[in-house]
Amino acid sequence: MIEFKNVGKKYPNGFEGLKHVNLTIDQGEFVAIIGLSGAGKSTLIRTINRMHDITEGTLTVNGTDVMSLQGKNLRAFRRKIGMIFQSFNLVTRTTVIKNVLTAFVPDLPWWRAFFGVFTKEEKLKALEALDKVGILDKAFVRTDQLSGGQQQRVALARTLAQNPEIILADEPVAALDPVTAKQVMDDFDRINKEMKITVLINIHHVDLALKYASRVIGVRAGEVVYDGPSANVDQAVLDKIYQGRQEMEA
Ligand SMILES: Nc1ncnc2c1ncn2[C@@H]1O[C@H](COP(=O)(O)OP(=O)(O)OP(=O)(O)O)[C@@H](O)[C@H]1O
């Protein structure tokens, strides 16, 4: 369970990225975070794995006070939270499987990481993760030969190999065409349902947010202005979140 209690985030320049955020997200939920550019969506999800420090209130993940973590404990905590970015963050000049195997690097002795020595079990786990996102046949292909959608799936497989409890995805389909975006969203959906992994997605596509997420969190100027079932999102809710700048899809 992820719990925000009166959370605030003030950036060093004094800008308030988050204000009075109160949220409880249960294990296994699929949540879409929507809002205008600059509303604070990235700031919100990045506080969960401590990419950003909160400056007010408390944030707990499965009972752990995130701000109390340091060094080894923080690294161990981060291993349970997968992160997916718009830009995939892969090493494109190497093979797909090598990218997935990097998921194990933080747990390896330095020499194994340095020489890229992986056990049979680790290799099987990496292949299994690729199978889960439907690109097992691409395991030994150079990553730069894959389409954008396939590369995002490699990133997803790398995250899955980490065995996460939570996946945070920051605009994961923003760089993809509509058909590929839907395929990647289908992967998130399957992973969420089959593996009971909590999925939190920042997304600009309201139609995809409403189709895939069961819950929508609307952020405006650092504040949560809507939190409820996606089925209850109507034009009035969108007007509140987007200040009248977003039309509901027919
Ligand atoms: N390091 C920083 N210092 C100061 N202000 C920042 C910093 N990072 C982000 N901000 C500001 O915080 C606000 C929220 O940014 P954030 O990236 O969370 O928005 P977002 O909703 O994810 O936007 P987008 O959809 O464009 O990615 C923005 O106004 C941004 O300019």
Side-chain angles (χ1 to χ4, degrees):
M1 185 198 278
I2 303 167
E3 254 189 313
F4 287 78
K5 282 194 192 146
N6 208 25
V7 166
K9 158 78 186 166
K10 201 180 254 189
Y11 281 106
N13 68 356
F15 184 85
E16 280 188 278
L18 294 176
K19 297 172 216 165
H20 316 294
V21 173
N22 288 291
L23 291 170
T24 303
I25 297 162
D26 286 323
Q27 186 61 38
E29 283 198 67
F30 193 132
V31 184
I33 301 160
I34 61 172
L36 285 171
S37 191
K41 304 181 296 296
S42 297
T43 308
L44 181 69
I45 66 165
R46 285 167 193 234
T47 58
I48 297 170
N49 64 351
R50 269 284 289 283
M51 277 174 83
H52 285 322
D53 288 351
I54 62 169
T55 51
E56 224 183 288
T58 52
L59 170 56
T60 55
V61 175
N62 296 333
T64 302
D65 179 350
V66 174
M67 287 304 289
S68 73
L69 295 167
Q70 280 180 2
K72 211 170 123 188
N73 289 339
L74 179 58
R75 284 194 294 277
F77 168 79
R78 283 195 173 131
R79 304 272 299 122
K80 290 187 269 168
I81 304 179
M83 183 92 194
I84 298 281
F85 301 90
Q86 175 180 343
S87 54
F88 322 136
N89 285 16
L90 301 169
V91 183
T92 52
R93 59 183 190 283
T94 187
T95 58
V96 164
I97 189 155
K98 280 194 181 148
N99 271 284
V100 180
L101 284 166
T102 60
F104 304 118
V105 164
D107 291 333
L108 300 182
W110 72 267
W111 63 271
R112 280 226 281 137
F114 186 78
F115 292 107
V117 179
F118 295 96
T119 62
K120 186 176 169 188
E121 197 197 357
E122 284 160 349
K123 287 178 196 162
L124 285 173
K125 265 196 201 162
L127 291 170
E128 199 186 319
L130 285 169
D131 194 28
K132 279 190 187 129
V133 293
I135 50 165
L136 180 58
D137 58 322
K138 303 285 183 213
F140 299 99
V141 171
R142 243 175 83 127
T143 310
D144 53 11
Q145 288 175 14
L146 266 52
S147 69
Q150 288 167 333
Q151 290 194 28
Q152 192 56 293
R153 285 174 159 171
V154 177
L156 203 46
R158 180 182 54 189
T159 295
L160 287 180
Q162 209 179 298
N163 223 359
E165 290 166 6
I166 300 166
I167 294 181
L168 308 174
D170 204 353
E171 307 281 359
V173 298
L176 307 176
D177 66 75
V179 176
T180 315
K182 196 183 156 298
Q183 286 167 354
V184 171
M185 290 302 288
D186 284 336
D187 289 336
F188 279 110
D189 184 51
R190 217 180 40 253
I191 286 161
N192 167 255
K193 292 209 171 86
E194 286 174 11
M195 302 166 78
K196 308 277 177 275
I197 297 174
T198 307
V199 175
L200 264 84
I201 291 191
N202 282 350
I203 188 158
H204 276 296
H205 304 76
V206 173
D207 52 332
L208 291 179
L210 300 185
K211 180 169 186 263
Y212 286 93
S214 48
R215 173 177 174 185
V216 166
I217 293 172
V219 183
R220 189 171 104 187
E223 287 182 272
V224 173
V225 293
Y226 176 80
D227 178 13
S230 36
N232 292 357
V233 175
D234 55 15
Q235 189 60 50
V237 169
L238 291 184
D239 284 347
K240 200 170 168 190
I241 300 169
Y242 291 98
Q243 296 158 291
R245 281 184 258 168
Q246 174 75 42
E247 294 285 320
M248 192 106 186
E249 295 252 329

